[in-house]
Amino acid sequence: MGLEERKKLLPAPYTVPVLRWDSEVVAGSDEICAFLDERVAEPLLYPAEHEGEIRRLERAASDLYWVNGWLSTVDAAGFERWSGARVRKYVSGGGAGVGPRLLFKALPGSVTSRMIHGVAKKSYLATLRRRGAELGGETGAACLRLAAERDTAAVMEEARAMLRVFDRELQASATEFFCGASEPTAADLTLYGMLERWLGNSLCPGLNGPAQPSVIDGMPGLSLAWERMHERFQRDCTLSELDDFADIATSVGDVTWSRKG
């Protein structure tokens, strides 16, 4: 089963993460965090005494999503470091169809690598334009602006400027987590998801690499938070045994729970 077919087994808009908990289906990291706080007493992802601040930081971390994608997909070096080898393996194994597989075998590796990146880049820029039109407002405008951007250095500096805000918050915290929390909050988890692609292996050792390993250089608060979170999740939640998500064989079903609904 190809990637596009597997995507259709997820609820619209066909992205992850999606949580299935007994009869409930929850989509989106912020929704999943809110659902877990409703179902699991401790540790709270939105500690009551800092709930407003945690939600503010969570939203700010979510704003990194599009620059994160740009620097790991549109940027050729970032794409190669993060998933170039994995995508080539997918194409050469027939995951993208017979035609691309035959081309992959017939052409030099340098040519197929450029072709693969070209397809990924075109697809991501199209997504930015589509989501920009759909979302509107500041977020939509940011997507449309990134869709027209071609300067990696400019996007990198934009990302670093956003990350410095979190670094200051973390340096001011009494712990390695936001607001002096003893365990990761929803904001820490959202930020970690962005850093895992830039700095880690997306919890798929041997399959993915760090897209932008220097993005938090000179940010000690973020560096400590990243190291602690990555060690914890790499140990407890590695995804390398999912075998390209072949375990998703039947439809997850429609979303049944939403705090926004």
Side-chain angles (χ1 to χ4, degrees):
M1 184 185 298
L3 183 60
E4 290 302 314
E5 287 74 22
R6 289 176 189 158
K7 281 173 58 178
K8 293 174 183 177
L9 300 178
L10 299 168
Y14 318 113
T15 58
V16 293
V18 174
L19 172 69
R20 183 162 56 190
W21 180 297
D22 296 330
S23 62
E24 300 281 24
V25 175
V26 190
S29 58
D30 58 339
E31 290 285 275
I32 290 171
C33 286
F35 176 84
L36 291 175
D37 257 18
E38 182 181 281
R39 298 301 175 93
V40 182
E42 294 289 342
L44 289 175
L45 298 174
Y46 301 95
E49 65 273 28
H50 300 294
E51 182 176 358
E53 182 68 0
I54 294 301
R55 291 193 184 279
R56 180 187 70 80
L57 289 164
E58 180 187 33
R59 288 191 296 272
S62 295
D63 288 342
L64 288 165
Y65 181 80
W66 300 110
V67 292
N68 186 285
W70 200 103
L71 289 170
S72 56
T73 306
V74 178
D75 176 46
F79 176 79
E80 180 59 33
R81 284 189 294 261
W82 177 54
S83 60
R86 185 176 192 183
V87 176
R88 286 193 293 276
K89 179 181 177 182
Y90 176 77
V91 174
S92 65
V98 175
R101 181 172 179 268
L102 292 176
L103 274 176
F104 192 92
K105 288 188 173 183
L107 296 173
S110 59
V111 175
T112 56
S113 292
R114 287 197 299 272
M115 290 174 63
I116 287 170
H117 174 247
V119 171
K121 175 180 175 180
K122 181 179 179 180
S123 175
Y124 189 74
L125 292 175
T127 297
L128 281 171
R129 288 189 288 269
R130 185 183 72 251
R131 294 296 285 154
E134 292 171 351
L135 294 170
E138 292 184 8
T139 302
C143 288
L144 293 174
R145 177 175 49 77
L146 283 169
E149 182 62 74
R150 296 296 182 272
D151 186 348
T152 295
V155 180
M156 174 65 83
E157 184 48 43
E158 179 179 349
R160 285 178 56 80
M162 296 170 77
L163 288 165
R164 289 186 193 102
V165 175
F166 298 112
D167 183 61
R168 290 192 291 270
E169 295 275 359
L170 288 165
Q171 287 193 67
S173 176
T175 68
E176 65 265 38
F177 307 121
F178 288 120
C179 300
S182 59
E183 293 289 331
T185 68
D188 294 286
L189 294 174
T190 302
L191 179 60
Y192 169 70
M194 308 299 168
L195 296 179
E196 182 59 57
R197 180 185 286 197
W198 273 330
L199 303 172
N201 54 30
S202 302
L203 300 181
C204 293
L207 297 176
N208 291 90
Q212 300 293 344
S214 65
V215 71
I216 63 168
D217 284 0
M219 302 183 201
L222 271 176
S223 295
L224 176 61
W226 152 250
E227 289 168 5
R228 297 289 173 80
M229 294 281 278
H230 180 69
E231 190 280 331
R232 174 184 295 201
F233 282 92
Q234 189 69 49
R235 181 188 66 236
D236 296 341
C237 304
T238 181
L239 304 177
S240 58
E241 296 178 2
L242 287 180
D243 190 24
D244 286 333
F245 305 100
D247 60 320
I248 304 176
T250 59
S251 175
V252 173
D254 295 329
V255 171
T256 62
W257 188 95
S258 175
R259 73 178 178 194
K260 303 170 185 175

